[in-house]
Amino acid sequence: MKLHRRHFLALSVASAGGILLSRWAVGQNQTPHSVTLSPDVYKSTGGLLELSLEAGSQNFIIGDRQVSLLSYNGQVPAPRLEAKPGDTVRIHFTNKLSQPTNLHYHGLHVTPADNADNVFLSISPNEQLTYEFQIPQNHPAGTFWYHPHRHGTVAEQVFGGLAGLFIVRGDLDEIPEVKAAQEEFLVLQDFDPNASGQPNAPDPMTLMRGREGALITVNRQVNPTLSIASGGLLRLRLLNASPSRFYRLALENHPLYLIATDGGAIANPIELEELLLAPGERAEVLVRGDRPVRQYRLLNLPYDRGGMGGMTMPNMASMSGMNGMSGMMNPSQSQPPQTSLPLATLTYQGSTASLKLPEKLIEVESLPEPSKTRRIELSMAMGNKMSFLFNGKTFDPERVDADPKLGTVEDWELVNVDPDRMDHPFHLHVNPFQVISRNGQPEPDRAWKDTVLVKGGETVRIRIPFRDFAGKTVYHCHILDHEDLGMMGRLDIQS
Ligand code: C2O
Ligand code: CU
Ligand code: CU
């Protein structure tokens, strides 16, 4: 078997760092030339997905740097979990971090009660908790994920590396053209290590924008290689697991055929020249291997996520903890890239009989008219303390901000009134939604989402069916520093 040099290095380093080589399958279930790192995979059997998961820390070599990251079972990205509708999930979780943490199952439609998708739980260092929940029989297939959600340290822990895919397999995977495609999982993460490999402490400016790092990785690698067969189809499952960085993706000479969004399949593939993924968002795209045999770059194009435009410097200087300009400009904490950066490289390897794109995927149901409409204003305040706000308030776990009734449909009007015109990706737990309109313009295609970008000055209307599960859960900005700084609300779904 021929290993690419980059991958060979990664393997030898992993071995030196004490990670079992067998954990890192070379192109598992794929052509031997595929060189993306694959973490452990846990699949359900007999209706049960059961595993032990330990949060801790681990050193890795990324590029040519030693980086200390937070890991689940010693891995970044974390082990990939795969289950089916109807399965029971049981995770024996141990916290070996030095601070409290918990687990959230982002995008899953499961109960927020008890030891399930309950972000109000807190697991102290060295404590254990067994999570258990059932995935409903009619749960859509899709690309979901898990990460810590302990309010106050979510950004820090996710930026440390804690994130893994949670795949629900089902009808989408059985569509013949999709099934015939070679499947790859791309977890996008950025890190900001200092010279000794520890994350730089964020300064106030960084917290305001949300922390980003200049070390941008796909499956913890810098610019890994993906392969496609001439005539073949590649199915990319993409996750933005960065706490604040946006990815504006384009693959040179190859359109992307969108087949699924956050919550699963769309009705028909949509051809895209580029794809914007805000923090927390996922997408599945197909790529056709119909171009001349050479290398193509998967690029991250420049993106301006707003902020600092309307903000005057005197306001900035009054921010808490900031003493004049000197503390603001930390060159190690990067601004969004001004140039296109290659995230991965696509190579052609071998050939296959020409595979077709699917024509039809899965119909997305049309939701009934809402019985109630709520308005949520997204904003920030810069008084003596920097805070991020929904309807002028920061998060209070004791305050109920919305009380939808189980079995009803609501429209939420998300209005970005941020004086600094910063983008805020809005995320709701437990119940996926559909985007109805943006600035009054109806959304052309129906799709299930759980995270939606609301740009500076925009109004986005989403329609949410509250189904199956009563109880308390949250909605928040998925720029996780904004969430930690208050941009989160509690909703109690009334039975
Ligand atoms: Cu991905 Cu409440 O989070
Ligand atoms: Cu979530
Ligand atoms: Cu935000």
Side-chain angles (χ1 to χ4, degrees):
M1 183 185 312
K2 203 173 85 195
L3 286 180
H4 290 238
R5 185 177 136 78
R6 189 180 300 115
H7 192 236
F8 178 73
L9 286 176
L11 284 175
S12 40
V13 163
S15 148
I19 303 172
L20 290 177
L21 272 183
S22 61
R23 283 183 174 173
W24 303 100
V26 179
Q28 200 181 36
N29 304 325
Q30 294 153 8
T31 70
H33 296 289
S34 179
V35 290
T36 47
L37 272 183
S38 171
D40 277 357
V41 182
Y42 292 89
K43 298 187 183 188
S44 61
T45 49
L48 177 67
L49 174 65
E50 184 166 24
L51 64 137
S52 297
L53 198 69
E54 187 176 292
S57 54
Q58 180 80 32
N59 289 328
F60 296 96
I61 302 285
I62 305 179
D64 53 3
R65 314 173 63 173
Q66 166 113 3
V67 183
S68 172
L69 298 179
L70 304 181
S71 59
Y72 289 122
N73 292 0
Q75 302 184 20
V76 177
R80 185 171 85 233
L81 312 185
E82 294 198 2
K84 298 195 189 77
D87 284 350
T88 295
V89 179
R90 190 178 297 140
I91 299 178
H92 306 284
F93 179 71
T94 306
N95 179 11
K96 290 285 184 190
L97 303 174
S98 56
Q99 44 180 219
T101 189
N102 62 14
L103 286 178
H104 165 52
Y105 308 92
H106 180 132
L108 287 187
H109 178 60
V110 298
T111 176
D114 307 322
N115 288 7
D117 187 20
N118 182 351
V119 296
F120 295 90
L121 296 172
S122 180
I123 303 159
S124 303
N126 292 310
E127 285 198 346
Q128 287 187 292
L129 183 80
T130 295
Y131 282 92
E132 183 162 339
F133 54 87
Q134 200 195 1
I135 301 175
Q137 205 61 250
N138 61 354
H139 197 288
T143 305
F144 308 99
W145 63 299
Y146 62 102
H147 62 81
H149 216 293
R150 173 66 166 60
H151 182 59
T153 52
V154 182
E156 179 182 344
Q157 293 181 6
V158 172
F159 199 48
L162 293 175
L165 285 165
F166 195 120
I167 303 295
V168 178
R169 297 246 177 227
D171 45 7
L172 174 61
D173 305 272
E174 295 306 318
I175 294 174
E177 294 88 347
V178 175
K179 202 172 183 173
Q182 184 194 323
E183 185 179 43
E184 292 278 1
F185 303 84
L186 304 187
V187 178
L188 310 179
Q189 290 173 294
D190 62 339
F191 305 109
D192 186 30
N194 64 19
S196 56
Q198 301 296 324
N200 279 303
D203 57 31
M205 181 66 195
T206 301
L207 291 180
M208 189 184 82
R209 291 197 52 80
R211 58 194 89 192
E212 291 187 17
L215 182 57
I216 302 180
T217 64
V218 175
N219 300 345
R220 211 194 68 232
Q221 291 174 287
V222 175
N223 193 11
T225 304
L226 297 161
S227 67
I228 191 168
S230 283
L233 277 181
L234 188 59
R235 175 188 186 184
L236 299 178
R237 296 188 184 243
L238 298 151
L239 159 64
N240 182 350
S242 287
S244 323
R245 184 176 288 281
F246 285 50
Y247 296 91
R248 186 178 151 221
L249 304 169
L251 180 57
E252 289 178 317
N253 297 46
H254 293 74
L256 304 172
Y257 296 93
L258 183 73
I259 58 168
T261 54
D262 298 337
I266 54 177
N268 312 92
I270 297 174
E271 182 177 330
L272 301 174
E273 285 310 313
E274 58 175 72
L275 170 68
L276 180 66
L277 274 189
E281 286 188 305
R282 288 89 63 213
E284 294 188 36
V285 298
L286 294 176
V287 173
R288 304 188 72 172
D290 59 357
R291 298 295 145 124
V293 174
R294 63 171 183 86
Q295 297 199 331
Y296 300 90
R297 295 174 302 171
L298 175 64
L299 292 170
N300 188 21
L301 305 175
Y303 179 75
D304 177 6
R305 58 187 177 90
M308 293 302 293
M311 193 70 69
T312 59
M313 283 306 157
N315 280 342
M316 293 297 308
S318 72
M319 281 164 58
S320 90
M322 183 180 291
N323 303 311
M325 294 292 293
S326 58
M328 282 176 54
M329 301 304 169
N330 180 345
S332 72
Q333 283 154 352
S334 73
Q335 293 298 304
Q338 297 307 304
T339 54
S340 298
L341 192 93
L343 294 179
T345 301
L346 182 72
T347 63
Y348 275 73
Q349 299 279 354
S351 65
T352 176
S354 178
L355 295 177
K356 283 193 315 177
L357 287 172
E359 274 166 29
K360 282 178 78 66
L361 297 161
I362 294 161
E363 218 39 64
V364 177
E365 71 175 290
S366 136
L367 294 169
E369 288 300 307
S371 56
K372 189 175 173 80
T373 297
R374 294 176 203 269
R375 176 185 164 93
I376 299 178
E377 290 188 354
L378 292 63
S379 186
M380 74 176 298
M382 302 281 283
N384 47 10
K385 196 169 169 285
M386 170 173 52
S387 50
F388 288 85
L389 314 162
F390 283 139
N391 289 337
K393 297 179 196 132
T394 55
F395 178 63
D396 177 351
E398 304 302 323
R399 184 190 67 230
V400 180
D401 299 295
D403 57 352
K405 217 174 148 27
L406 191 64
T408 66
V409 173
E410 294 194 356
D411 272 10
W412 287 13
E413 198 171 52
L414 311 172
V415 190
N416 187 336
V417 297
D418 186 334
D420 199 28
R421 297 184 73 85
M422 213 187 314
D423 289 2
H424 296 288
F426 180 93
H427 170 53
L428 172 65
H429 286 209
V430 181
N431 290 287
F433 54 79
Q434 295 178 11
V435 178
I436 298 301
S437 66
R438 202 173 271 277
N439 295 327
Q441 296 300 314
E443 191 80 348
D445 300 292
R446 280 204 292 269
W448 286 111
K449 295 284 294 167
D450 55 56
T451 308
V452 63
L453 177 56
V454 189
K455 296 185 196 196
E458 273 190 340
T459 295
V460 174
R461 181 179 278 258
I462 62 174
R463 189 157 293 170
I464 316 158
F466 291 95
R467 289 175 177 160
D468 304 310
F469 307 111
K472 65 172 173 174
T473 186
V474 292
Y475 53 91
H476 59 90
C477 178
H478 219 288
I479 290 178
L480 297 172
D481 283 297
H482 296 175
E483 178 275 319
D484 284 332
L485 290 167
M487 205 173 205
M488 181 153 76
R490 166 178 165 183
L491 76 157
D492 283 21
I493 304 164
Q494 313 288 314
S495 56

